[in-house]
């Protein structure tokens, strides 16, 4: 199988031994995006990048990752211009807000006034976008497309068949992506393979978790922990994705 630049990350992920190859890819994308936003490349000093962060902001999780990264000045500069624009928008929304009428005994046909609805839409929109999440979604979409393009190759299919399955989040995204990207010639391979991987590996992780719990029984004193020592974070990963045992991602 001939490697190309865009196929290398996907092939590497399926050779990584991770509980979910797409979690492996997602972590790489996320860390690259954090590093680009506030790392040595100093994209926050570029007007185009700052314009995007000013418009999209960051979700709670990625604000925490930006903080953990350790570049306090970089974070301050990003937040400074974002807050300036945010406060101007907030002033405009509040300036145009008319207090809704008092509630009467009879329920109103509309839940809120038009002004109240506009204010809520603005506030909720500010909570629904994230510069890092956007980059992750874009790149992960490309990786799913690459997965299905590579599924035509026997060597890649063997790598998939030997992997440890997927977390539930990426399992769902993979099945959803299949509706758009799965070649008809690979349907008979894809679904049985992925379903087998999920059933076998979810059962394997549950067995490791059961063994971990059992090791706290005094009657198991001195017994072999087998593969159960990291069963808790691996179970968490299978349920919701990510790598719960990872240390905070920090700048070098």
């Amino acid at each position: 199988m001939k490697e190309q630049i865009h196929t290398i990350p996907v092939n590497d992920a399926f050779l990584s031994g991770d509980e979910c190859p797409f979690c492996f890819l997602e972590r790489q994308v996320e860390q690259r995006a954090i590093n680009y936003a506030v790392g040595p490349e100093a994209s926050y000093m570029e007007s185009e990048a700052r314009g995007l962060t000013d418009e999209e902001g960051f979700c709670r999780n990625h604000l925490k990752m930006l903080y953990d990264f350790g570049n306090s000045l970089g974070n301050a500069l990003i937040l400074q211009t974002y807050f300036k624009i945010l406060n101007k928008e907030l002033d405009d929304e509040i300036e145009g807000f008319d207090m809704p009428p008092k509630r009467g005994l009879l329920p109103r046909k509309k839940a809120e006034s038009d002004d109240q609805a506009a204010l809520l839409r603005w506030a909720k929109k500010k909570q629904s976008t994230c510069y890092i999440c956007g980059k992750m979604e874009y790149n992960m979409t490309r990786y799913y497309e690459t997965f299905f393009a590579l599924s035509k190759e026997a060597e890649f299919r063997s790598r998939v068949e030997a992997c440890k399955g997927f977390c539930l989040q990426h399992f769902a995204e993979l099945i959803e992506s299949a509706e758009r990207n799965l070649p008809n010639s690979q349907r008979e391979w894809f679904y049985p393979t992925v379903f087998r991987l999920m059933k076998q590996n979810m059962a394997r992780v549950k067995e490791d978790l059961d063994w971990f719990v059992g090791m706290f029984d005094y009657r198991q004193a001195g017994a072999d922990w087998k593969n159960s020592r990291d069963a808790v974070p691996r179970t968490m990963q299978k349920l919701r994705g990510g790598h719960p045992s990872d240390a905070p991602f920090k700048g070098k």
Side-chain angles (χ1 to χ4, degrees):
M1 182 173 60
K2 186 177 181 180
E3 289 272 48
Q4 300 180 43
I5 290 177
H6 70 281
T7 66
I8 291 173
V10 176
N11 275 313
D12 287 348
F14 278 88
L15 291 171
S16 68
D18 201 295
E19 284 291 347
C20 174
F22 290 106
C23 284
F24 182 90
L25 287 164
E26 188 176 68
R27 177 170 57 188
Q28 289 185 330
V29 171
E30 185 173 49
Q31 291 182 353
R32 284 200 305 269
I34 292 289
N35 192 65
Y36 178 75
V38 76
E41 296 178 6
S43 68
Y44 56 85
M45 297 302 292
E46 301 172 5
S47 58
E48 183 178 356
R50 188 78 71 87
L52 289 172
T53 58
D54 287 345
E55 180 180 351
E56 299 176 12
F58 301 94
C59 67
R60 180 187 299 183
N61 176 58
H62 289 129
L63 280 172
K64 180 64 168 64
M65 287 190 70
L66 288 167
Y67 179 81
D68 287 339
F69 191 81
N71 185 350
S72 296
L73 177 58
N75 277 311
L77 290 170
I78 291 172
L79 294 172
Q80 184 181 46
T81 55
Y82 178 71
F83 246 69
K84 179 181 179 180
I85 295 172
L86 181 73
N87 284 343
K88 175 62 170 61
E89 292 180 1
L90 177 62
D91 288 345
D92 291 343
E93 293 293 332
I94 291 176
E95 184 69 25
F97 181 80
D98 287 332
M99 189 177 298
K102 294 181 179 179
R103 291 190 299 272
L105 295 177
L106 297 176
R108 301 181 62 207
K109 292 183 179 180
K110 294 177 66 176
E112 66 265 335
S113 69
D114 290 341
D115 289 329
Q116 189 177 16
L119 178 64
L120 288 173
R121 282 196 299 271
W122 173 83
K124 289 180 178 179
K125 182 180 179 182
K126 289 299 175 183
Q127 302 299 311
S128 67
T129 58
C130 171
Y131 175 74
I132 303 296
C133 287
K135 280 188 167 291
M136 291 173 63
E137 182 178 358
Y138 174 84
N139 282 279
M140 291 304 295
T141 298
R142 305 286 84 76
Y143 285 144
Y144 287 123
E145 292 171 355
T146 302
F147 172 92
F148 289 110
L150 285 172
S151 71
K152 301 172 185 176
E153 303 282 347
E155 185 177 348
F156 180 73
R157 291 198 300 273
S158 68
R159 291 176 185 177
V160 174
E161 291 163 3
C163 82
K164 295 180 179 179
F166 311 95
C167 70
L168 286 176
Q169 175 186 327
H170 291 126
F171 168 67
E173 292 177 2
L174 185 63
I175 296 300
E176 183 179 34
S177 184
E179 296 301 310
R180 301 185 301 272
N181 300 302
L182 178 64
N184 286 331
S185 61
Q186 295 306 316
R187 291 175 61 86
E188 299 302 319
W189 167 81
F190 173 76
Y191 288 106
T193 298
V194 170
F195 294 162
R196 174 183 59 79
L197 286 169
M198 288 301 294
K199 291 177 66 175
Q200 289 181 351
N201 286 284
M202 293 294 278
R204 171 183 57 80
V205 172
K206 174 60 164 57
E207 183 179 339
D208 289 344
L209 186 67
D210 290 342
W211 192 264
F212 178 87
V213 173
M215 286 298 292
F216 289 86
D217 189 322
Y218 73 92
R219 290 168 295 186
Q220 289 289 91
D224 184 1
W225 284 83
K226 297 185 178 180
N227 295 319
S228 71
R229 290 189 182 275
D230 62 346
V232 171
R234 287 191 292 109
T235 302
M236 291 177 174
Q237 181 181 358
K238 284 295 191 191
L239 292 174
R240 296 304 298 267
H243 297 88
S245 61
D246 277 1
F249 179 57
K250 295 181 178 294
K252 297 180 180 178

